[in-house]
Amino acid sequence: MKGLYIALGVLVLLVFMGGCSYNGMNGARLDVDQKWADVQSSYQRRSDLIPNLVATVKMAANFETTTLTQVIQARASASSIKLDAKDLTPEKLQQFQASQGQLSQALGRLMVVSEQYPTLKATENFTNLQVQLEGTENRIKYSRDQYNASVMKYNVSVTNFPSNILAGMFHFKEKPSFQAENAAQSAPKVQ
């Protein structure tokens, strides 16, 4: 009889530990989902500012329409990619990053070209939009950093023993983190 009580006690302890481990992994997964929503919100803010920036820049005479077209096309491409936090894969995240990187490059070219137009630079709307875009880029970086920290915590919880056994049983899979683009490894040349 004593052996039955010990076995029952061990079983109850294992179920309790398993429940705590499951709840921890589930909480970490929900945190990753929330951080991903924050990343998307930051990118959406940038996307929302671009039409105002383009409209302000169009007002400047003789402005390069090619650059504006590139920004508009890059925004459309970046906006077309929607990722669900529950379906994040390294490949999908890389595709998302690539489209956002193209938009960042197009915006960078727009800012460089705008330097050649003193009347545009003197426009209060343009200056305000530049400040808002800079703040938005900082928010994007912060959101990505928070997402990566959350992913690391989640991935540790689903890969450490013994919770990895429970993670496999309940289909908790590792999540991808943001990675720097290959071009980011080289310092830009300023000419």
Side-chain angles (χ1 to χ4, degrees), residues 18-186:
C20 289
S21 183
Y22 176 86
N23 289 342
M25 287 184 288
N26 194 49
R29 178 174 56 191
L30 292 173
D31 187 51
V32 168
D33 293 350
Q34 177 59 48
K35 297 297 193 254
W36 179 249
D38 293 345
V39 168
Q40 288 184 313
S41 175
S42 296
Y43 278 118
Q44 184 63 50
R45 176 174 164 71
R46 176 173 71 177
S47 185
D48 292 345
L49 287 172
I50 290 171
N52 294 332
L53 181 66
V54 169
T56 302
V57 170
K58 276 184 179 178
M59 288 188 269
N62 301 325
F63 198 79
E64 295 186 20
T65 56
T66 309
T67 305
L68 289 175
T69 304
Q70 289 173 346
V71 170
I72 292 167
Q73 289 173 343
R75 178 184 180 265
S77 173
S79 298
S80 69
I81 297 177
K82 303 290 185 210
L83 284 179
D84 185 7
K86 292 172 183 30
D87 192 29
L88 281 175
T89 64
E91 297 79 23
K92 289 180 180 180
L93 185 60
Q94 187 176 21
Q95 182 184 19
F96 179 81
Q97 281 182 254
S99 69
Q100 293 296 333
Q102 289 172 349
L103 181 55
S104 294
Q105 290 174 359
L107 283 172
R109 285 190 298 275
L110 178 66
M111 293 303 165
V112 167
V113 171
S114 70
E115 292 291 322
Q116 300 169 6
Y117 295 88
T119 56
L120 177 61
K121 286 174 49 176
T123 305
E124 186 178 340
N125 286 345
F126 183 74
T127 304
N128 289 339
L129 286 168
Q130 276 186 304
V131 169
Q132 287 184 38
L133 276 172
E134 181 182 348
T136 300
E137 293 299 327
N138 290 336
R139 287 181 190 153
I140 289 170
K141 185 210 177 303
Y142 178 79
S143 294
R144 287 189 306 215
D145 290 347
Q146 293 299 304
Y147 170 79
N148 280 348
S150 182
V151 164
M152 182 179 163
K153 181 181 172 187
Y154 170 78
N155 286 346
V156 166
S157 74
V158 300
T159 57
N160 278 354
F161 182 80
S163 61
N164 64 342
I165 297 168
L166 197 61
M169 288 172 38
F170 289 102
H171 306 289
F172 286 93
K173 294 181 174 32
E174 287 186 66
K175 301 272 188 176
S177 58
F178 272 95
Q179 304 291 322
E181 296 177 17
N182 291 336
Q185 303 301 319
S186 306

